[in-house]
């Protein structure tokens, strides 16, 4: 039973999430021969203030990009 846990910052649309689930599933079917009905994908959306990289929180980084 494949299980994928995708963590990303908020902002993806429902349509984008549907595409992610479909394409991740297709990849596991095609590459590993897994059955789609046994494939589980969890999308966890993280608030920008709870995600950091390069020494800053994402919300701070994005403010700097827009200012």
């Amino acid at each position: 039973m494949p299980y994928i846990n995708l963590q990303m910052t908020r902002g993806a649309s429902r349509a984008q999430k549907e595409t992610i689930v479909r394409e991740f599933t297709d990849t596991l079917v095609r590459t590993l021969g897994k059955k789609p009905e046994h494939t589980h994908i969890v999308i966890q959306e993280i608030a920008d203030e709870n995600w950091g990289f390069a020494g800053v929180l994402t919300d701070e980084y994005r403010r700097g990009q827009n200012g």
Side-chain angles (χ1 to χ4, degrees), residues 7-12 44-51 58 62:
Q7 295 181 337
M8 61 186 198
T9 56
R10 293 182 179 152
Q44 292 181 300
E45 292 185 289
I46 311 296
D48 287 353
E49 66 187 33
N50 295 326
W51 192 290
T58 299
R62 289 186 175 163

Side-chain angles (χ1 to χ4, degrees), residues 12-59:
S13 69
R14 180 178 176 83
Q16 289 171 320
K17 292 174 194 176
E18 289 172 345
T19 299
I20 288 167
V21 169
R22 183 177 55 255
E23 291 188 6
F24 279 22
T25 300
D26 289 348
T27 296
L28 290 172
V29 168
R30 194 175 53 254
T31 305
L32 300 176
K34 299 298 181 180
K35 293 182 178 183
E37 62 270 22
H38 294 161
T39 301
H40 300 263
I41 300 167
V42 175
I43 298 173
Q44 292 181 300
E45 292 185 289
I46 311 296
D48 287 353
E49 66 187 33
N50 295 326
W51 192 290
F53 67 99
V56 297
L57 295 174
T58 299
D59 61 346

